[in-house]
Amino acid sequence: MSAVKTEDEITVVEREMKEFWTELKSVYGTEQINQTLALRDSCKESINVLSEILQQNKHISENEKHLTEIKSNLNHEEEQKKELTDSIQELKEELMKKKEIISSKNKATKERVERLCKSKELFEERLGLEIRRIHNEQLQFIFRHIDHKDPDKPYMFTLSINEQGDYEVTSCTPPLDCISEFQLKVRETNNFSAFIANIRKAFTALSFKQST
């Protein structure tokens, strides 16, 4: 009995559905329904296209952001490159200035040594002095005829001009206790002849002291 009732209910529902579509067709017509379905499909397609466009726009935006970051990094690298180039240029200029200063000092030293060498004959004649130019633009002064027992015995000292342009005694044989004092005095007075004469006197006094 129950199964028969269920079948009857299904039959009723199917009949009602057929009647609904028949009535819908009679009211709107088959063509309007088809147009509605076509419009629905068109809307779906438009939505899909719009979704795809939005997705592409998102990718474009991400790519633009990445491109901006790349440009920013390139600009930063260019700034660093410019700073490095400027630093290198400053170092080159500083090095050139130092080279010019050193060259100027070397030139002044050579000129000073030349002037001293030109006085060689005068020193040799009056003081029995021999002057030799040795390595590193140094001058070696050799006195003889100091020791009466051994006239050829050499008494010598080596002189250079330091980076400050001052006279500097680099060696003295035999050593003299007063050599530093003489060196300081010639720096103050620039009286080189008196400097040479004082050293010779000191060597003579030392020789006399050693022979007594």
Side-chain angles (χ1 to χ4, degrees), residues 105-106 109-110 113 132-140 158-163 168 170:
K105 286 183 177 180
N106 288 340
T109 299
K110 287 181 179 180
V113 170
R132 297 176 182 174
R133 179 182 291 184
I134 58 176
H135 56 86
N136 297 329
E137 294 298 331
Q138 294 187 98
L139 293 177
Q140 188 178 61
T158 303
L159 186 71
S160 68
I161 298 174
N162 61 25
E163 293 183 356
E168 183 174 347
T170 57

Side-chain angles (χ1 to χ4, degrees), residues 193-208:
S193 296
F195 172 68
I196 296 295
N198 287 334
I199 291 181
R200 189 179 192 285
K201 287 178 183 179
F203 277 143
T204 301
L206 179 64
S207 174
F208 179 78

Side-chain angles (χ1 to χ4, degrees), residues 58-196:
K58 181 179 179 183
H59 289 318
I60 291 173
S61 177
E62 291 176 351
N63 289 336
E64 287 178 345
K65 182 180 179 182
H66 184 57
L67 181 60
T68 301
E69 291 177 353
I70 292 174
K71 288 181 177 179
S72 176
N73 291 334
L74 288 175
N75 290 335
H76 183 62
E77 290 178 359
E78 286 295 328
E79 290 176 0
Q80 288 184 327
K81 182 180 178 181
K82 185 177 182 303
E83 290 176 358
L84 181 59
T85 302
D86 292 342
S87 297
I88 292 173
Q89 184 62 30
E90 289 178 3
L91 289 174
K92 284 183 178 179
E93 292 175 358
E94 185 178 352
L95 181 60
M96 287 299 295
K97 289 179 181 178
K98 288 183 177 180
K99 284 183 177 180
E100 289 176 0
I101 292 172
I102 292 172
S103 177
S104 177
K105 286 183 177 180
N106 288 340
K107 183 179 179 182
T109 299
K110 287 181 179 180
E111 290 175 353
R112 208 164 184 180
V113 170
E114 290 295 335
R115 288 196 299 270
L116 293 176
C117 287
K118 288 179 181 179
S119 304
K120 178 179 179 181
E121 293 181 3
L122 176 63
F123 288 133
E124 286 181 347
E125 180 182 348
R126 295 187 180 181
L127 301 175
L129 173 64
E130 178 185 354
I131 301 175
R132 297 176 182 174
R133 179 182 291 184
I134 58 176
H135 56 86
N136 297 329
E137 294 298 331
Q138 294 187 98
L139 293 177
Q140 188 178 61
F141 295 79
I142 305 171
F143 296 96
R144 301 186 191 276
H145 307 295
I146 289 181
D147 189 345
H148 297 291
K149 295 179 181 179
D150 187 2
D152 291 330
K153 180 180 179 181
Y155 290 74
M156 67 187 74
F157 72 95
T158 303
L159 186 71
S160 68
I161 298 174
N162 61 25
E163 293 183 356
Q164 288 72 37
D166 296 325
Y167 293 112
E168 183 174 347
V169 176
T170 57
S171 67
C172 183
T173 308
L176 295 174
D177 295 335
C178 54
I179 197 70
S180 297
E181 179 184 346
F182 293 159
Q183 176 179 270
L184 181 60
K185 192 170 184 179
V186 73
R187 290 179 181 178
E188 293 174 350
T189 64
N190 204 34
N191 190 338
F192 192 75
S193 296
F195 172 68
I196 296 295

